[in-house]
């Protein structure tokens, strides 16, 4: 897959589901969805070498569009998209957690 596709995994999302541990949060309000997607702009960096020890999953986020769901796992320093791990260009854990209050 080309990096450009990886950068736009959140495009046209209509619903976002976020799981943190046992807690599940759903966002369907367009303002919330847009604001959460904006956090992810430019977050995908270079691919993580396969010999790197995987970080513990922190947030499991699913971006739902019509007929499609894109699951993403976000740790502080990496993001998994379609099972491939990338370094993150910015840490969005704190602003993301603000939505989960």
């Amino acid at each position: 897959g080309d990096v450009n596709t990886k950068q736009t995994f959140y495009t046209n999302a209509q619903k976002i589901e976020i799981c943190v541990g046992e807690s599940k949060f759903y966002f369907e309000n367009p303002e919330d969805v847009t604001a959460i997607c904006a956090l992810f702009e430019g977050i995908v960096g270079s691919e993580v070498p396969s010999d790197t020890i995987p970080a513990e999953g922190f947030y499991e986020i699913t971006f739902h569009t019509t007929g499609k769901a894109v699951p993403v796992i976000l740790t502080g320093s990496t993001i998994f998209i379609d099972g491939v791990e990338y370094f993150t260009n910015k840490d969005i854990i704190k602003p993301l957690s603000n939505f989960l209050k």
Side-chain angles (χ1 to χ4, degrees), residues 1-81:
D2 78 281
V3 166
N4 206 29
T5 311
K6 298 293 179 228
Q7 291 283 13
T8 56
F9 56 89
Y10 51 81
T11 305
N12 300 328
Q14 291 152 344
K15 183 172 103 174
I16 299 174
E17 185 183 330
I18 302 179
C19 299
V20 188
E22 298 297 304
S23 305
K24 278 188 161 81
F25 304 86
Y26 296 93
F27 300 92
E28 295 185 68
N29 175 324
E31 283 179 19
D32 289 340
V33 170
T34 300
I36 292 170
C37 287
L39 295 175
F40 285 88
E41 279 176 25
I43 198 173
V44 181
S46 57
E47 201 169 311
V48 174
S50 57
D51 58 359
T52 307
I53 294 160
E56 289 298 308
F58 203 80
Y59 287 88
E60 292 179 53
I61 305 149
T62 308
F63 295 87
H64 294 274
T65 57
T66 308
K68 190 175 174 217
V70 180
V72 164
I73 297 173
L74 178 69
T75 71
S77 53
T78 65
I79 187 165
F80 286 84
I81 308 164

